[in-house]
Amino acid sequence: MSAPRRCDELTAALACARYGRVVMTRSQRTEAELKAAARRLLTRKPYADIKITDITSEAGRAAGSFYRHFTDKEALMSALIDDFATKVHEQVVDRMGQHHTLSTRADVRAHVEAYWRGYREHLPEMSGLFQVAMLSERFRAIHDDLREWQVRAWAGHLEDLKYPGPARLTALSIICLLESFAFDLIGRVDRRANGSASGGSAGGMEASVDTDAIEALTGLLTAGLLGAAPPD
């Protein structure tokens, strides 16, 4: 099967549109609360140390409510990863439309920012995914699928650009760069923010680092893909 060439063509396999609804049913609200509880726990302890009863207690729900939404802890983790993929996709589409390209600096920045903002919002579960992927074949496959989804999107754009290098390897190097840089820098900033006595100063530090990081990555990728003086 040939690789899809547009980001919007890749979403169906990884994302569920129901999470974007403004009005939720009671069942959807419970599901969202369980996921939010899991995310909070992932900021405090390793994935392997989190029990289902920890999640339901954190969410303020009865233990049995978990199984009406997820078969096990791994299914919940999978749903959190889907949410990350949905977030990245929706941010690109919101900024650029369904049928976008990668031909200007603004295009590159929109893709970088979508990935960065998605990572910012979903760092706990992405950190958990990296932890468990080293121990579980199932989650190694989930991690590989997530990376493949992004690689195929970028490779399709590079092919549209008639990029002279190998599109797939170039796309893989871009995704690995974004992934590693976001994981390291956002995690470092969050640790500093958690140690700050003032929530306001921590928030300002976070916003400043995000802006600088997005601009640095945009400049690097734009120069590499489009040349030193690309169109705006």
Side-chain angles (χ1 to χ4, degrees):
M1 179 183 295
S2 60
R5 296 171 64 80
R6 298 291 181 215
C7 294
D8 54 287
E9 296 174 10
L10 303 169
T11 306
L14 288 169
C16 180
R18 68 180 183 273
Y19 299 130
R21 291 178 182 170
V22 175
V23 178
M24 293 189 291
T25 66
R26 179 182 299 178
S27 176
Q28 289 168 335
R29 186 164 57 251
T30 299
E31 181 178 339
E33 289 170 355
L34 290 169
K35 290 196 291 185
R39 295 184 70 251
R40 290 193 298 272
L41 288 168
L42 283 164
T43 67
R44 305 201 296 265
K45 59 172 67 176
Y47 172 85
D49 292 345
I50 298 173
K51 302 179 179 64
I52 289 175
T53 51
D54 295 333
I55 297 170
T56 53
S57 177
E58 178 76 17
R61 295 286 176 174
S65 66
F66 184 93
Y67 296 99
R68 289 195 288 272
H69 301 277
F70 306 103
T71 56
D72 51 26
K73 190 174 71 170
E74 287 74 17
L76 170 56
M77 188 69 180
S78 295
L80 292 175
I81 302 308
D82 286 351
D83 286 352
F84 168 79
T86 301
K87 182 72 172 182
V88 173
H89 168 73
E90 287 178 346
Q91 291 220 13
V92 172
V93 171
D94 285 348
R95 286 172 171 78
M96 306 175 67
Q98 289 282 355
H99 301 292
H100 54 271
T101 64
L102 194 67
S103 56
T104 70
R105 189 181 193 282
D107 295 338
V108 175
R109 191 185 194 285
H111 281 76
V112 169
E113 183 169 6
Y115 187 91
W116 193 269
R117 301 297 180 192
Y119 220 104
R120 160 67 68 194
E121 183 173 333
H122 295 278
L123 182 65
E125 54 264 44
M126 297 307 293
S127 177
L129 175 62
F130 291 148
Q131 295 170 31
V132 75
M134 292 185 286
L135 304 173
S136 164
E137 286 297 324
R138 176 180 176 183
F139 276 95
R140 180 66 190 179
I142 290 174
H143 178 269
D144 289 348
D145 285 347
L146 179 63
R147 180 177 284 173
E148 176 65 14
W149 169 72
Q150 297 169 91
V151 168
R152 291 166 71 186
W154 279 82
H157 287 316
L158 294 176
E159 290 168 3
D160 288 343
L161 281 175
K162 304 294 191 291
Y163 183 72
R168 180 174 174 78
L169 283 177
T170 301
L172 178 60
S173 68
I174 290 170
I175 294 306
C176 289
L177 170 64
L178 293 173
E179 187 179 84
S180 178
F181 190 40
F183 182 79
D184 181 74
L185 187 57
I186 294 176
R188 190 183 309 169
V189 170
D190 284 354
R191 288 190 294 273
R192 289 170 58 195
N194 289 336
S196 172
S198 169
S201 61
M205 174 178 65
E206 177 183 294
S208 174
V209 170
D210 284 350
T211 299
D212 290 346
I214 291 167
E215 289 303 318
L217 288 166
T218 298
L220 178 64
L221 293 179
T222 300
L225 298 176
L226 305 179
D232 292 332

